[in-house]
Amino acid sequence: MADRRPDEQEMSRPKKPRTGDLDPTANPYLAHMYEESDDYNTGYKSRNGYSNGSSTATSLSKFKRHQTTALQAHTAEDGPNNPLNNAPLSQQYFNILKTRRDLPVHKQRQEFLDLFQKTQILVFVGETGSGKTTQIPQFVVFDDLPHMSGKLVACTQPRRVAAMSVAQRVANEMDVKLGDEVGYSIRFEDVTSSKTILKYMTDGMLLREAMHDHDLTRYSCIILDEAHERTLSTDILMGLLKEVAVRRPDLKIVIMSATLDAQKFQRYFMDAPLLAVPGRTHPVEIFYTPEPERDYVEAALRTVLQIHATEPEGDILLFLTGEEEIEDACRKITLEADEMIREADAGPIKVYPLYGTLPPHQQQKIFEPAPPPARAGGRPGRKVIVGTNIAETSLTIDGIVYVVDPGFSKQKVYNPRIRVESLLVSPISKASAQQRAGRAGRTRPGKCFRLYTEAAFKKELIEQTYPEILRSNLANTVLELKKLGIDDLVHFDLMDPPAPETLMRALEELNYLACLDDDGNLTQLGKLASEFPLDPALAVMLISSPEFYCSNEMLSLTALLSVPQVFVRPASAKKRADEMKALFAHPDGDHLTMLNVYHAFKGPAAANDPKRWCHEHFLSLRALQSADNVRQQLKRIMEKNELELLSTDFNDKNYYTNIRRALVAGFFMQIAKKDGTGKTYKTVKDDQSVLLHPSTVLNVDSEWVVYNEFVLTTKNYVRTVTSVKPEWLLDIAPNYYDLSTFAKGDIRTALQKTVDKVNRRQAMKGGR
DNA sequence: GAGCACTGC
């Protein structure tokens, strides 16, 4: 294993491009690092090469950093030349400028600047339609003048698409080419250059950068957008920024959020000042049911049909919890509406499902216009969208006038006692309910029908959905925090500290994986594992795989395990799909089967027409391509860290055995043993009764299995399983399989027998 | 014999 690590001190502020690790073209995270000024505290020097080719000073060069006014900015924006690069401004620019100046935030530009200049940290609240995501970063650029000190302004988004589309929009607004002064950076794609001074990025991406540059020295200002969503990355970044702010008094921070919870952000950031800007939405009238509903799906269908029968023109958005529920509801609504059209002359209706696993072209259908009246002069048609929470944040659909909100969604919950994450249908929060209602008022006044009582809304719904950090296994998070240089986790100031038991579980898991030593310090392996965008068990499995002569195969497998399911099984063709899957089946388990799929996908049979090949074999092209992408990224990280890429000869009898052993190196904590003669298994140490998921290719003769995930539904299932041997467990993970730590029982007895067997075998060898 | 809300590196 490689033990040469890049010197972090050096990495944070290199002066010149160098070969190897520091070559910015080789490492997308370091794209801007080669043109840093020497000292961020005093650095007002112009960036080398920035103004090359244009001898004329831009209008911004007369600006004094943190002393500008809205009027100055206004004048500069009026042209005639681009204040960023002195190029003549286009007609399109002036057209957009007009609409920009109509946005609510523009009225408060001076107010924003006053606060921004006065304080280090500012909380900014802007409701939907205020223009905060596009305008505030521009306000900042014009006052912070990052190019004068060779730095950047970053604006983080929770989602990739948002980072991309907002960057494109702002590049248009500033009349520059995307990737020049304005760019974006997301996983697999860095559209920035040495010219870039405003960078939109995913919050996860900034977190990655922070691991190599703890003080975020490349940035003069960091804007955290959509902070109210409280993603894991946002929460960690906030904790980190709170500490960085002390070490770097020159760093400006803006926390942007929707109205709710603004005071909580203020309090957390040492009573930072708050600026609130109203949004631009239409009023939405709220209706509650007088009595609680017993069956929310039935009530939802009734409400949708009622709206269609009695309410004026306008599209309907219904929130349900999952794929099956949604498809079922779509069928029923279509059926009932057809009857209404025949019997009551109702207008035509078109129903669209909407959920994350739907292929993109199907998702796009929701933007088709409502159907026209069935005949001239007939009643107008209506579009009904039945969707998951994806319609609450990720996708906005204009033209929705009616929202039906049953008050439930599937949410991730984590149970640290049995160490299982699962999805549970749970009541939504007040904030969620408000967000859902708001979807009815984007284009004109709307109505929201809540299928619960007003009393229930007031008394039973919690204010905010619990932040993700309280609902997740934190093994990965703890590893990230350690890599960020945070040694004392208990005193790390998170906005909502997780339960001590959850933290303990994470530390314990990382200790067993040898990523943390007994004092909780990052080990060499832990440092290496944190380089990979993977969960710790997967990372450790991959890093260990050269020892098992199968790192090429484990690269593929790791990638496959970190993308959505590759097997497709449509309800209409279950049998065919199963037959196709059987073509790839390996008797020793699902991991090996997936690997067979990948090899076939990369082989000659699929090369000509992968799309067709996938379709014929009931495989998801999207998932396989995505695995390919991930594999490339992981491979680069392996090479960078000098981890060998090895394969056992395919004809060697140990080809698959080596892979199965390598699986154990990461997943030795996810082993189950057959319990008696039936179909049930027991997980090792936790002693949970589980069944093999019916999708497995493995038959129930396997005594010991390694599993990839624990699925908690009506029954306990382990999914993606491969058979292993108990001697491997003792051999590969001796610490975890220290028998004295096991409770008395079948598993301990079986392991003890294995120990005895191994000892006998060794004694015989020794005796000879 | 079949439960993949949604993100992200």
Side-chain angles (χ1 to χ4, degrees):
Chain A
M1 199 178 299
D3 56 358
R4 193 178 65 79
R5 306 283 308 130
D7 181 345
E8 284 172 28
Q9 211 45 35
E10 255 181 31
M11 286 190 78
S12 60
R13 262 186 280 144
K15 305 220 165 29
K16 281 220 162 111
R18 298 184 0 183
T19 50
D21 291 334
L22 294 176
D23 179 2
T25 55
N27 183 347
Y29 303 130
L30 302 175
H32 293 78
M33 299 198 67
Y34 51 94
E35 285 191 342
E36 290 269 319
S37 67
D38 292 333
D39 187 338
Y40 55 75
N41 285 315
T42 57
Y44 279 78
K45 281 170 252 170
S46 190
R47 186 186 289 203
N48 279 347
Y50 180 75
S51 48
N52 271 0
S54 113
S55 51
T56 341
T58 64
S59 53
L60 286 191
S61 54
K62 286 178 282 247
F63 281 31
K64 282 214 172 101
R65 188 160 188 247
H66 297 162
Q67 291 179 35
T68 72
T69 65
L71 185 65
Q72 281 179 324
H74 216 91
T75 311
E77 282 170 352
D78 281 339
N81 286 351
N82 195 320
L84 298 181
N85 56 23
N86 227 15
L89 289 161
S90 69
Q91 189 52 48
Q92 182 200 270
Y93 168 88
F94 290 105
N95 294 344
I96 304 178
L97 187 61
K98 219 187 261 172
T99 63
R100 282 174 60 197
R101 297 235 165 115
D102 278 341
L103 288 166
V105 281
H106 263 265
K107 291 190 190 62
Q108 282 161 274
R109 186 168 191 165
Q110 187 58 51
E111 215 178 319
F112 173 81
L113 288 175
D114 290 342
L115 284 175
F116 179 76
Q117 291 162 359
K118 208 169 65 192
T119 61
Q120 187 180 11
I121 307 177
L122 169 64
V123 177
F124 182 91
V125 162
E127 295 171 44
T128 29
S130 62
K132 67 172 183 332
T133 303
T134 51
Q135 304 309 302
I136 294 294
Q138 297 187 60
F139 294 180
V140 167
V141 164
F142 274 61
D143 184 62
D144 205 51
L145 309 170
H147 53 302
M148 310 289 278
S149 52
K151 297 201 184 287
L152 294 124
V153 170
C155 179
T156 69
Q157 299 292 319
R159 283 167 291 279
R160 284 190 215 163
V161 267
M164 287 164 66
S165 59
V166 175
Q168 179 62 68
R169 168 71 195 180
V170 172
N172 289 344
E173 289 191 1
M174 297 185 110
D175 215 19
V176 299
K177 198 172 135 253
L178 184 64
D180 285 355
E181 284 81 357
V182 180
Y184 68 87
S185 175
I186 59 177
R187 187 180 188 181
F188 305 128
E189 217 185 338
D190 183 9
V191 184
T192 62
S193 63
S194 57
K195 284 185 183 172
T196 305
I197 52 174
L198 173 56
K199 178 161 89 167
Y200 285 90
M201 62 203 302
T202 47
D203 45 18
M205 202 71 201
L206 185 60
L207 204 54
R208 276 276 141 194
E209 287 187 6
M211 290 181 185
H212 293 282
D213 178 10
H214 296 175
D215 284 348
L216 294 163
T217 51
R218 304 159 58 192
Y219 301 97
S220 58
C221 175
I222 286 166
I223 306 168
L224 280 193
D225 200 2
E226 315 289 359
H228 61 278
E229 288 194 25
R230 304 289 309 277
T231 66
L232 256 169
S233 300
T234 299
D235 271 17
I236 301 169
L237 278 174
M238 286 198 294
L240 185 72
L241 285 175
K242 209 172 157 167
E243 293 193 348
V244 174
V246 179
R247 297 197 293 264
R248 274 195 59 194
D250 63 309
L251 178 73
K252 294 265 187 191
I253 297 164
V254 181
I255 308 292
M256 303 211 289
S257 152
T259 35
L260 297 136
D261 243 17
Q263 287 87 1
K264 191 169 180 179
F265 289 107
Q266 279 187 281
R267 255 180 280 126
Y268 178 68
F269 285 107
M270 292 88 54
D271 296 315
L274 171 85
L275 181 63
V277 173
R280 185 176 289 160
T281 50
H282 303 274
V284 175
E285 205 180 341
I286 311 276
F287 300 90
Y288 294 94
T289 52
E291 298 295 327
E293 294 286 352
R294 253 183 308 125
D295 180 345
Y296 70 85
V297 179
E298 189 271 329
L301 299 178
R302 191 164 17 92
T303 309
V304 166
L305 293 164
Q306 181 85 20
I307 293 169
H308 187 51
T310 60
E311 294 283 345
E313 194 172 357
D315 299 333
I316 305 173
L317 173 60
L318 162 62
F319 285 99
L320 289 178
T321 64
E323 176 176 341
E324 200 179 312
E325 209 175 78
I326 287 170
E327 292 291 355
D328 197 40
C330 286
R331 263 194 306 276
K332 286 180 177 153
I333 293 170
T334 310
L335 227 65
E336 294 273 342
D338 285 347
E339 205 176 303
M340 282 168 64
I341 295 164
R342 280 197 306 276
E343 293 172 8
D345 194 32
I349 205 167
K350 193 92 178 78
V351 188
Y352 299 99
L354 175 65
Y355 43 86
T357 47
L358 216 55
H361 69 273
Q362 289 230 41
Q363 279 190 16
Q364 283 304 309
K365 283 191 179 164
I366 61 165
F367 297 108
E368 287 174 8
R375 54 187 164 74
R379 298 177 70 177
R382 206 189 291 272
K383 178 165 78 175
V384 178
I385 293 160
V386 186
T388 60
N389 258 4
I390 195 171
E392 198 179 298
T393 46
S394 308
L395 271 168
T396 46
I397 314 143
D398 284 330
I400 298 291
V401 180
Y402 307 99
V403 162
V404 180
D405 172 21
F408 292 96
S409 70
K410 268 189 198 169
Q411 287 167 30
K412 185 169 76 180
V413 286
Y414 176 63
N415 181 340
R417 196 180 51 77
I418 55 172
R419 284 186 272 166
V420 171
E421 272 183 354
S422 51
L423 285 172
L424 214 66
V425 174
S426 324
I428 61 169
S429 64
K430 285 196 182 107
S432 249
Q434 242 159 31
Q435 177 75 17
R436 288 179 171 193
R439 294 302 189 188
R442 288 190 63 85
T443 34
R444 61 184 163 102
K447 291 181 180 176
C448 173
F449 299 88
R450 291 184 175 157
L451 305 181
Y452 36 92
T453 63
E454 189 167 5
F457 174 80
K458 285 186 177 152
K459 291 197 195 111
E460 287 166 33
L461 298 194
I462 54 171
E463 290 296 324
Q464 299 281 333
T465 310
Y466 291 116
E468 207 184 351
I469 200 163
L470 301 184
R471 298 183 284 121
S472 309
N473 173 336
L474 295 182
N476 201 17
T477 303
V478 167
L479 188 65
E480 279 170 4
L481 287 171
K482 290 283 178 184
K483 185 71 212 289
L484 286 166
I486 288 135
D487 298 321
D488 185 2
L489 293 182
V490 179
H491 294 107
F492 182 59
D493 188 4
L494 285 161
M495 200 171 212
D496 285 283
E501 192 181 356
T502 308
L503 271 184
M504 287 309 297
R505 282 295 191 188
L507 290 166
E508 183 191 69
E509 194 178 323
L510 289 167
N511 181 240
Y512 278 127
L513 285 169
C515 288
L516 295 180
D517 63 24
D518 291 345
D519 300 322
N521 297 315
L522 212 52
T523 61
Q524 206 56 40
L525 179 63
K527 279 183 196 159
L528 212 43
S530 70
E531 293 288 318
F532 290 88
L534 295 169
D535 276 338
L538 277 172
V540 167
M541 173 177 97
L542 186 56
I543 294 165
S544 318
S545 63
E547 298 166 33
F548 300 91
Y549 308 103
C550 58
S551 41
N552 285 313
E553 286 71 21
M554 296 321 269
L555 259 177
S556 311
L557 194 51
T558 308
L560 288 163
L561 291 172
S562 38
V563 300
Q565 180 66 259
V566 296
F567 297 105
V568 177
R569 196 167 185 264
S572 53
K574 289 183 183 172
K575 200 164 160 256
R576 283 285 294 153
D578 291 347
E579 284 166 11
M580 285 299 143
K581 185 173 173 181
L583 295 178
F584 303 103
H586 188 289
D588 283 330
D590 300 309
H591 295 92
L592 307 180
T593 303
M594 287 167 76
L595 202 56
N596 286 344
V597 167
Y598 183 76
H599 287 154
F601 174 68
K602 298 298 283 180
N608 262 343
D609 191 349
K611 194 177 166 190
R612 191 174 143 193
W613 185 84
C614 283
H615 186 78
E616 281 169 357
H617 291 86
F618 288 85
L619 296 168
S620 162
L621 176 66
R622 222 181 4 147
L624 283 166
Q625 283 172 337
S626 163
D628 233 7
N629 242 337
V630 174
R631 190 184 191 282
Q632 281 174 41
Q633 188 189 25
L634 298 177
K635 183 167 171 255
R636 277 196 301 272
I637 301 172
M638 293 279 277
E639 287 164 347
K640 197 181 127 208
N641 290 286
E642 295 177 359
L643 293 164
E644 279 190 287
L645 299 174
L646 304 169
S647 286
T648 304
D649 187 286
F650 187 71
N651 297 312
D652 190 310
K653 68 175 169 39
N654 285 324
Y655 179 82
Y656 283 111
T657 310
N658 286 345
I659 294 169
R660 286 158 68 200
R661 285 169 53 89
L663 275 172
V664 171
F667 286 90
F668 55 83
M669 284 177 274
Q670 300 188 9
I671 303 286
K673 184 195 173 293
K674 206 158 122 112
D675 189 22
T677 52
K679 289 179 176 176
T680 56
Y681 283 72
K682 277 268 172 65
T683 60
V684 148
K685 279 206 184 173
D686 297 314
D687 207 32
Q688 287 278 311
S689 275
V690 293
L691 295 169
L692 302 188
H693 195 273
S695 63
T696 189
V697 301
L698 203 63
N699 61 47
V700 285
D701 300 337
S702 316
E703 274 295 302
W704 300 82
V705 296
V706 59
Y707 60 90
N708 183 58
E709 58 179 336
F710 191 111
V711 188
L712 197 62
T713 57
T714 43
K715 290 175 184 149
N716 291 343
Y717 289 112
V718 287
R719 188 163 48 188
T720 312
V721 290
T722 285
S723 84
V724 293
K725 296 202 169 144
E727 339 25 331
W728 301 347
L729 306 175
L730 298 162
D731 174 31
I732 295 167
N735 278 338
Y736 192 77
Y737 286 89
D738 173 357
L739 287 191
S740 64
T741 65
F742 279 69
K744 278 211 174 89
D746 177 42
I747 289 179
R748 181 170 161 167
T749 311
L751 286 170
Q752 187 59 54
K753 274 186 194 159
T754 311
V755 173
D756 296 343
K757 197 169 88 186
V758 171
N759 285 345
R760 269 200 310 276
R761 219 182 281 160
Q762 268 168 2
M764 279 162 67
K765 268 189 204 160
R768 253 186 283 161

